[in-house]
């Protein structure tokens, strides 16, 4: 159960990071609210997962999922350019996350 919550928390990290970028310094209420709600649930899920998973592994997986999804979403929406090198590096992050799960 902790791994499922951790993965969902990583997804929410990507949500709050994207919302933060779109909030324009918290001047837009919609993205600002999404940021706050996603941040609270993301942190709560991370804290829950850390009750039974090692801190380092939990944090690395959480950040890796959030970073990969945030960049991937930005590339899909055209907010950031997609290059073969960037895609390869994102796949490297995903591979490291999968490796950490496999070793646990």
């Amino acid at each position: 159960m902790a791994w499922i919550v951790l993965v969902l928390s990583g997804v929410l990290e990507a949500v709050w990071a994207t919302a933060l970028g779109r909030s324009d310094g918290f001047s837009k209420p919609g993205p600002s609210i999404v940021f706050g709600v996603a941040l609270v649930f993301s942190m709560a899920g991370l804290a829950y997962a850390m009750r039974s998973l090692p801190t380092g592994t939990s944090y690395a997986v959480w950040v890796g999922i959030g970073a990969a999804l945030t960049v991937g979403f930005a590339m899909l929406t055209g907010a950031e350019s997609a290059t073969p090198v960037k895609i390869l590096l994102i796949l490297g992050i995903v591979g490291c996350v999968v490796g950490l799960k496999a070793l646990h």
Side-chain angles (χ1 to χ4, degrees), residues 15-16 19 23 26 28-40:
V15 171
W16 69 250
S23 74
F26 299 116
K28 296 180 180 174
S32 298
I33 291 168
V34 170
F35 164 78
V37 171
L39 178 68
V40 168

Side-chain angles (χ1 to χ4, degrees), residues 31-57:
S32 298
I33 291 168
V34 170
F35 164 78
V37 171
L39 178 68
V40 168
F41 283 104
S42 179
M43 290 293 173
L46 177 61
Y48 174 82
M50 286 178 154
R51 291 171 49 186
S52 58
L53 299 173
T55 299
T57 299

